């Protein structure tokens, strides 16, 4: 009886286990089916998505390939772009200085100043190739040239993004990348590191933000970039070794900086200027513009009628303007089925383009009373030839002084600040009158004196002192001033002649104006002036200046000159003028 009960109980338990196992297997099958369906649908959706992306990508690729087949003619500005340093027109001395700064055994950082369109960027692009082929240069054959524009170098003050210096992409900003998921900060190199071992060219460097300038100065000093991040831990073994090395030692950034700007030197921070060699590119003269126009026409495969180059040089301020005028003139000729550009084609282009002719001053053919050839220089070290006029009449009511044509103040916008720059030309006039009174005992108070600076040229600084003194002396004594002499130099109230700035550019401007002799302060003399094409006369005193200018001059009416000093005058060529 007991055995039957026990047997029935065991049998019942077996049936229960079988039922439970059946239920479990059913559930397992069910969940397996659900999971299988889920992954199948996920895989299907992924494949569908990839198929859609691939199909869309194929369509976009076809569009890009179609766009690649559409090509316009190469712009003339690209055809005429210099291929070697010798192709840069009108900047021979500046290019030589650039080679000296970067192609030697110890290359230096360089700042290039100059007007737009005179070859600054072209020279910077080509200088590294010249350096690579110089035996003593440390630049390797694979040295990189990294070109940037300061106007487009936008950065974040939190260092999230800085295309110039570099930045660290913290995990919070990385998204779902490998480093972001692992919580690893990722340093990103900037232009300074990309230029390691080569040249970093920054166009319009004067537009850099002060914060970027300070960071750039630190990189120039350390020759590497240091990074920081709140997500970096030196003991974290999950961080790759190369990232540890970057945070520990910094990223290499040993390069040479070449910065170009159209700003004036005083607009560039002194800390940058003190680390760089400063090179000035000159404004293009008439012959240089003619050469650029001729090369542009040659590259375009057309001929220019006689007089076209000369006409363009009267209106174009730089190479870009010259090429643009030539290109438009070629188009005008092409519409009429011609391959030669006529003068009338260019005249039409200048008319519709509203081009204004350049005012090019030349020295007079004959001496005149009260008219003196002066010289000035812009902040970009471009020289200018200018005339200074003076008249003097006996006064019955006490002498008066009137100075016209002086731009007394200029408004300058620089780095968000508005500055007013005042001229000191009036002070130079007063100094010149005092010198005449003290040295030659000429009582200028007995005359009504008018001094004019024709053309409204910004006259700043005291460098017109001796020119003003000669103009007033000529006007009072009615003696003619030689027309082949130009002058520059500061004069003191006691008659001493002091050195001034920009003498090399002034001498070049005098040569271009047809001047034969230039009087400069003795302290400004350099041996390089001997190759300037004009006679350089050095002086120490106003007496020497008057002696040179009016030794052979005659009064109106045929009488002798007023004053001849008994002193020797030093001339750059090594001779002396003895009286």
């Amino acid at each position: 009886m007991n055995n039957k009960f026990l047997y029935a109980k065991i049998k019942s338990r077996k049936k229960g286990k079988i039922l439970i196992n059946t239920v479990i297997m059913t559930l397992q099958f069910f969940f397996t089916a659900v999971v299988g369906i889920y992954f199948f649908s996920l895989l299907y959706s992924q494949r569908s998505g990839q198929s859609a992306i691939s199909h869309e990508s194929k369509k976009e690729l076809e569009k890009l390939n179609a766009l690649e087949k559409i090509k316009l003619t190469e712009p003339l500005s690209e055809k005429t772009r210099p291929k070697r340093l010798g192709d840069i027109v009108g900047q021979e001395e500046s290019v030589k200085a650039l080679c000296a700064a970067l192609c030697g055994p110890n290359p230096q950082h360089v700042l290039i100043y100059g007007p737009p369109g005179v070859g600054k960027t072209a020279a910077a692009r080509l200088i590294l190739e010249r350096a690579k082929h110089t035996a003593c240069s440390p630049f390797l054959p694979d040295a990189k040239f990294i070109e940037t524009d300061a106007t487009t170098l936008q950065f974040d003050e939190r260092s999230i993004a800085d295309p110039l210096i570099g930045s660290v992409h913290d995990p919070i900003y990385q998204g779902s990348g490998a480093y972001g998921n692992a919580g690893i900060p990722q340093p990103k190199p900037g232009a300074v590191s990309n230029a390691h071992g080569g040249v970093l060219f920054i166009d319009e460097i004067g537009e850099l933000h002060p914060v970027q300038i300070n960071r750039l100065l630190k990189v120039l000093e350390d020759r590497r970039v240091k990074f920081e991040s709140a997500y970096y831990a030196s003991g974290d073994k999950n961080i790759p070794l190369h990232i540890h090395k970057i945070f520990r030692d910094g990223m290499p950034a040993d390069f040479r900086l070449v910065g170009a700007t159209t700003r004036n030197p005083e607009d560039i921070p002194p800390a940058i200027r003190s680390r760089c060699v400063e090179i000035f590119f000159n404004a293009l003269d008439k012959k240089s513009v003619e050469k650029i126009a001729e090369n542009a026409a040659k590259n375009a495969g057309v001929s220019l009628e006689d007089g076209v180059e000369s006409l363009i040089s009267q209106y174009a301020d730089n190479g870009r303007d010259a090429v643009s005028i030539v290109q438009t003139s070629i188009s005008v000729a092409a519409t009429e089925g011609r391959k030669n550009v006529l003068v009338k084609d260019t005249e039409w282009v200048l008319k519709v383009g509203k081009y204004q002719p350049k005012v090019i001053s030349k020295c007079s053919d004959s001496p005149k009373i009260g008219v003196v050839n002066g010289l000035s220089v812009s902040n970009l070290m471009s020289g200018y030839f200018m005339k200074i006029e003076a008249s003097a009449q006996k006064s019955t009511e006490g002498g008066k002084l009137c100075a016209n044509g002086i731009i007394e103040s200029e408004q300058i916008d620089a780095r968000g600040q508005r500055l007013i720059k005042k001229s000191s030309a009036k002070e130079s006039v007063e100094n010149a009158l005092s010198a005449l009174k003290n040295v030659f005992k000429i009582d200028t108070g007995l005359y009504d004196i008018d001094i004019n600076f024709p053309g409204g040229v910004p006259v700043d600084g005291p460098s017109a002192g001796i020119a003003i003194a000669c103009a007033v002396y000529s006007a009072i004594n009615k003696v003619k001033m030689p027309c082949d002499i130009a002058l520059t130099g500061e004069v003191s109230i006691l008659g001493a002649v002091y050195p001034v700035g920009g003498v090399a550019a002034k001498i070049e401007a005098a040569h271009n104006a047809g001047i034969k002799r230039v009087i400069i302060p003795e302290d400004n003399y350099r041996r390089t002036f001997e190759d300037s094409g004009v006679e350089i006369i050095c002086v120490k005193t106003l007496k020497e200046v008057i002696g040179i200018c009016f030794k052979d001059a005659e009064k109106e009416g045929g009488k002798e000159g007023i004053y001849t000093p008994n002193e020797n005058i030093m001339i750059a060529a090594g001779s002396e003028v003895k009286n």
Side-chain angles (χ1 to χ4, degrees), residues 159-364:
S159 297
I160 297 173
D162 190 338
L164 177 61
I165 306 300
S167 56
V168 177
H169 286 200
D170 287 327
I172 191 173
Y173 302 115
Q174 291 185 36
S176 59
Y179 287 140
N181 291 334
I184 299 173
Q186 185 180 8
K188 293 288 185 180
V192 294
S193 296
N194 294 333
H196 178 67
V199 169
L200 172 62
F201 174 66
I202 303 180
D203 199 7
E204 296 299 340
I205 193 172
E207 306 299 329
L208 276 181
H209 192 280
V211 173
Q212 286 179 298
I213 290 177
N214 291 334
R215 292 176 179 174
L216 180 60
L217 288 172
K218 181 64 175 173
V219 174
L220 293 179
E221 181 178 347
D222 296 342
R223 292 189 291 178
R224 59 183 55 247
V225 182
K226 296 295 183 65
F227 294 106
E228 295 179 354
S229 174
Y231 291 85
Y232 174 72
S234 58
D236 190 348
K237 295 183 179 180
N238 293 325
I239 296 179
L241 294 178
H242 75 280
I243 293 182
H244 275 301
K245 180 174 176 58
I246 290 174
F247 276 102
R248 183 180 66 249
D249 302 331
M251 189 172 291
D254 190 2
F255 60 91
R256 290 300 177 264
L257 171 68
V258 178
T261 181
T262 56
R263 287 180 175 268
N264 300 321
E266 59 266 23
D267 295 332
I268 307 300
I272 285 282
R273 295 180 61 191
S274 64
R275 287 170 169 82
C276 300
V277 174
E278 295 182 299
I279 298 174
F280 294 85
F281 273 48
N282 302 318
L284 298 178
D285 58 18
K286 185 176 186 294
K287 291 183 179 178
S288 297
V289 175
E290 289 179 359
K291 182 66 175 177
I292 292 173
E294 181 183 344
N295 291 341
K298 183 178 179 181
N299 290 329
V302 300
S303 60
L304 301 179
E305 184 183 15
D306 291 342
V308 172
E309 300 99 323
S310 178
L311 180 61
I312 292 174
S313 68
Q314 297 174 27
Y315 289 82
D317 290 322
N318 53 66
R320 293 196 190 104
D321 287 347
V323 173
S324 177
I325 293 172
V326 170
Q327 186 167 358
T328 309
S329 300
I330 292 173
S331 298
V332 173
T335 57
E336 298 179 5
R338 291 183 283 108
K339 281 196 172 184
N340 63 314
V341 175
L342 306 179
V343 172
K344 67 176 184 178
D345 299 329
T346 304
E347 288 177 343
W348 182 84
V349 172
L350 296 172
K351 176 183 176 181
V352 298
K354 306 296 183 183
Y355 287 92
Q356 298 299 318
K358 295 186 294 184
V359 178
I360 302 176
S361 299
K362 291 289 184 180
C363 63
S364 301

Side-chain angles (χ1 to χ4, degrees), residues 128 132 137-144 197:
L128 181 58
K132 288 179 182 179
S137 175
F139 291 110
L140 299 177
D142 60 348
K144 294 181 180 179

Side-chain angles (χ1 to χ4, degrees), residues 77-89 119 122-123 126:
S77 58
E78 293 185 12
K79 288 183 179 180
T80 56
R81 182 175 295 166
K83 304 296 188 299
R84 53 190 180 87
L85 289 173
D87 295 337
I88 299 175
V89 179
L126 297 171

